[in-house]
Amino acid sequence: MNFIFLGPPGAGKGTLAAQVAEEYGIPHISTGDIFRAAIKNQTPLGVKVKAIIDAGGLVSDEITCELVDERLKKDDCKKGFILDGFPRTIPQAEALEKICPDVQVVNFEVNNDLIIARLSNRRVCKSCGQNYNVKFLPPKTEGICDKCGGELYTRDDDKLESITHRLEVYREQTEPLINFYRNINKLTDIDSARDSSLVLVDFKKLFPAK
Ligand code: AP5
Ligand code: MG
């Protein structure tokens, strides 16, 4: 099964994708995580995209589509995959339709107030990338990852001005994808304003593992 997780920043795409990847045995491909790893390692790609990402803008369609095209060719995608944060524009969705039209798009529904509360309290593990939330999904020990003992940090784009800009960019450039996919019968809505364990239960009912 090939999934696209579509939704505003802070909707819980990364949180659910990590759980689904583990339970379904398919890779979780987050373009945001790929860009952040490139920034951390100061690769040419990382240097190119850092300022855009920190400010909450979008990386160009050309760079992003090429990166995803390469990633989907890897062997671990043969059984299926979860694309988290891609596509984010109509040209990206059109490009993906050419590479891989067999996709189920999951649309994460959540309101703006909750998004801001979630993002401003998010912490991410520096080593393994696991997401936490000091308010909603805290780690067992403050500042330390439950899974690998790594240090938790706040993403540079989780500052209030970047969050606001990311939400504007989402409404303008990504939200039109809801109708794009609804019109071709590939979209399923999920209520992601609830506890993450309930979101996973819903997902498993909608898409039983094969
Ligand atoms: P990306 O990393 O994809 O960021 P995003 O879309 O802004 O999404 P987030 O990661 O902020 O939200 P999420 O839905 O994954 O939420 P999470 O599960 O962490 O992209 C970053 C940047 O990279 C972009 O701004 C852009 O610059 C660039 N980029 C990436 N892809 C691109 C593309 N295709 N084209 C161009 N540029 C691209 O949850 C958020 C918080 O809430 C966490 O703290 C979590 O613990 C908590 N939480 C989650 N679910 C629940 C729940 N059910 N109940 C309570 N708390 C919850
Ligand atoms: Mg994410």
Side-chain angles (χ1 to χ4, degrees):
M1 281 182 281
N2 305 325
F3 296 107
I4 292 174
F5 283 7
L6 178 67
K13 304 181 296 293
T15 301
L16 184 69
Q19 294 165 318
V20 171
E22 204 171 309
E23 293 216 14
Y24 288 53
I26 52 177
H28 168 201
I29 303 169
S30 156
T31 40
D33 287 350
I34 295 172
F35 291 136
R36 278 184 293 277
I39 293 170
K40 187 175 157 199
N41 297 323
Q42 297 182 330
T43 67
L45 173 68
V47 171
K48 209 183 268 179
V49 302
K50 182 175 179 358
I52 301 170
I53 290 190
D54 286 353
L58 289 187
V59 176
S60 75
D61 289 337
E62 197 191 345
I63 292 178
T64 313
C65 290
E66 198 184 311
L67 188 141
V68 171
D69 188 21
E70 284 303 310
R71 181 63 186 87
L72 294 183
K73 284 180 186 146
K74 295 209 169 143
D75 279 352
D76 64 342
C77 294
K78 285 197 177 123
K79 219 185 122 191
F81 54 79
I82 306 161
L83 273 176
D84 160 14
F86 181 94
R88 248 177 162 92
T89 63
I90 295 283
Q92 290 181 14
E94 288 168 346
L96 185 65
E97 280 294 298
K98 288 187 191 135
I99 310 169
C100 180
D102 175 22
V103 290
Q104 307 268 6
V105 183
V106 183
N107 177 38
F108 287 62
E109 297 189 300
V110 61
N111 64 57
N112 259 10
D113 290 347
L114 197 52
I115 288 173
I116 292 169
R118 283 182 178 177
L119 292 181
S120 51
N121 291 297
R122 172 166 54 193
R123 300 292 181 275
V124 183
C125 175
K126 262 188 187 165
S127 309
C128 74
Q130 179 74 21
N131 279 332
Y132 295 90
N133 193 288
V134 289
K135 212 166 157 190
F136 304 116
L137 297 165
K140 290 192 185 99
T141 310
E142 196 187 321
I144 305 289
C145 178
D146 293 348
K147 274 175 106 180
C148 75
E151 189 190 334
L152 304 186
Y153 79 106
T154 302
R155 273 171 45 177
D156 285 336
D157 61 350
D158 280 344
K159 296 188 184 88
L160 194 57
E161 68 264 29
S162 296
I163 295 175
T164 312
H165 186 52
R166 279 157 65 205
L167 281 169
E168 283 165 8
V169 170
Y170 172 78
R171 301 287 172 222
E172 279 167 23
Q173 305 211 43
T174 309
E175 207 168 47
L177 295 184
I178 295 176
N179 276 338
F180 176 94
Y181 284 119
R182 211 185 288 288
N183 289 340
I184 53 174
N185 294 319
K186 292 185 181 174
L187 194 89
T188 305
D189 297 314
I190 201 161
D191 175 6
S192 61
R194 295 160 314 136
D195 189 272
S196 65
S197 58
L198 298 177
V199 183
L200 179 63
V201 169
D202 264 14
F203 181 89
K204 291 199 310 201
K205 273 191 211 145
L206 288 166
F207 306 103
K210 282 180 187 159

